[in-house]
Amino acid sequence: MYAIIKTGGKQYRAEAGSKLRVEKLEANPGDTVEFDALMLGGEKTVIGSPTVPGAKVVAEVVEHGKGKKVVVAKFKAKIHYRRKRGHRQPYTEIVVKEIRA
């Protein structure tokens, strides 16, 4: 069984035991977080509008971190304009414990 969850403006496919890197959550490592299921899949598919009633995905926060560096370079010809800036997006790694349907 799997579920589609939404967090941080993105949707993720979650299965029991799977690790996900989601947008940063305000939770400490070891905390338990719950997400509403937008869709349940498996033998029978259930699509919510917008969520499936009574369906929750329970996950545990493993760690917080930063993603790989993305370099943003700006350049304009003939006027000696060059800018270089880096960005590392923060994330939270979670492990899905169970899917309550």
Side-chain angles (χ1 to χ4, degrees), residues 38-93:
L38 301 178
M39 182 181 116
L40 294 175
E43 295 175 9
K44 184 181 175 192
T45 303
V46 180
I47 299 174
S49 59
T51 60
V52 178
K56 298 277 186 186
V57 175
V58 180
E60 181 182 341
V61 176
V62 177
E63 67 175 355
H64 297 290
K66 290 183 181 180
K68 290 187 175 182
K69 181 171 277 196
V70 177
V71 177
V72 178
K74 296 181 181 181
F75 172 81
K76 292 186 182 178
K78 302 175 188 164
I79 60 169
H80 196 69
Y81 176 84
R82 292 173 184 88
R83 301 288 183 267
K84 183 177 174 183
R85 185 176 189 142
H87 174 75
R88 294 180 69 190
Q89 186 71 19
Y91 68 86
T92 299
E93 189 168 308

Side-chain angles (χ1 to χ4, degrees), residues 31-35 57-61 94-98:
D31 288 353
T32 302
V33 291
E34 285 190 359
F35 302 101
V57 175
V58 180
E60 181 182 341
V61 176
I94 61 172
V95 175
V96 178
K97 293 297 181 185
E98 67 174 320

